[in-house]
Amino acid sequence: MTPEQVAAASKPAVLELGEAFSRCPGTLRRARLLGISGWAFYITGRAGALGDVRAETAAAAIGFIAPEAVADGWDAAARVVRPIEVAAANLAECCRWGTEHLDDLPGTPRLATLLDRVVAGADATGMPLFAAWRAMPVPGNAAGARAAVALLLLREHFTGAYLLAVRAAGMTPLEAVLAGPEGEAGATACGWSPPYPPVGPLVRRRLWAEAVTDRLVSAAFRALRAGEGAELVRLLTTTRTGLRAVDG
């Protein structure tokens, strides 16, 4: 497989697994312990790696969530706790989730090793959230924790590349969400208010942006040797299937 093929094939699993910890009840309990809502924890847990920036900066980095919705979560959390502390708590929950859910799955140590190399080889140019997260110290060293953190980082890399591709396609983040599989429901979930622009003319641009995303991210997968790209895709598929079987 070429690096671009590996990027395209691995993307669905990375996007799903890279945020799985955020839906864990234990992660939501951490929000309550910090004295903030689940939404404030999600927003500040993602963008808090940037440090004490303004809500507008956090919204620009996240991209696909409406600025007003980002500001609601960011400002509410900032009144209680520093953003970097929320990000650190988020990372700790990611490690906990990885240890609890991935350690016992077959292939996790190898998965962590391959993902670590991909993340280390990724170009962070124009992707502030990915760069900020990659610079965060990781509190766990178990294979499951390492794999979970690498999945989080690679998800931010894919998302950052997609944001660049969407803007290059002449689309706004809202238009990209509307043209996606969830349509208006996805836009509402991301805090965007109607009326919405028509979707029809946007679909072709979104498909182009998806292809450009794979091309941008493919550079990270060049860190893998021959055959390791296909191996990584198999491991990601096995991991996702294993987690779904447990959750089901």
Side-chain angles (χ1 to χ4, degrees):
M1 298 177 73
T2 67
E4 194 166 332
Q5 288 172 330
V6 176
S10 64
K11 180 164 59 178
V14 168
L15 294 180
E16 178 180 331
L17 295 172
E19 69 166 4
F21 80 96
S22 67
R23 298 189 297 272
C24 176
T27 303
L28 299 178
R29 282 196 297 271
R30 176 63 73 96
R32 292 195 294 271
L33 290 174
L34 289 173
I36 59 179
S37 69
W39 179 249
F41 185 83
Y42 173 76
I43 291 296
T44 312
R46 275 193 71 195
L50 297 170
D52 296 322
V53 300
R54 294 181 181 274
E56 293 86 352
T57 303
I62 291 174
F64 295 106
I65 298 177
E68 296 82 3
V70 172
D72 285 345
W74 184 266
D75 293 339
R79 289 191 288 268
V80 179
V81 60
R82 292 185 62 206
I84 195 67
E85 294 177 28
V86 182
N90 195 46
L91 192 59
E93 289 303 316
C94 180
C95 287
R96 175 197 57 78
W97 178 87
T99 300
E100 293 178 358
H101 292 83
L102 301 181
D103 265 357
D104 293 334
L105 293 180
T108 293
R110 179 62 173 165
L111 175 65
T113 296
L114 294 177
L115 287 172
D116 282 344
R117 281 167 41 200
V118 172
V119 168
D123 183 355
T125 303
M127 303 180 192
L129 273 185
F130 171 70
W133 273 109
R134 190 166 60 176
M136 290 276 290
V138 180
N141 196 41
R146 286 174 46 226
V149 171
L151 286 164
L152 181 157
L153 289 168
L154 194 52
R155 186 181 191 280
E156 289 292 358
H157 190 53
F158 268 111
T159 305
Y162 185 50
L163 184 57
L164 290 175
V166 163
R167 302 303 289 128
M171 300 172 69
T172 66
L174 169 58
E175 289 174 335
V177 174
L178 287 170
E182 296 181 4
E184 291 189 0
T188 301
C190 289
W192 301 97
S193 300
Y196 300 124
V199 175
L202 304 175
V203 174
R204 187 169 297 177
R205 290 189 182 187
R206 184 186 69 83
L207 293 175
W208 181 87
E210 292 278 4
V212 171
T213 299
D214 297 339
R215 198 170 308 129
L216 289 171
V217 176
S218 68
F221 291 95
R222 293 174 192 156
L224 302 178
R225 294 186 286 270
E228 289 182 335
E231 180 187 7
L232 176 58
V233 172
R234 287 195 299 271
L235 288 169
L236 287 168
T237 302
T238 300
T239 300
R240 183 164 62 163
T241 301
L243 284 175
R244 286 177 172 178
V246 172
D247 293 341

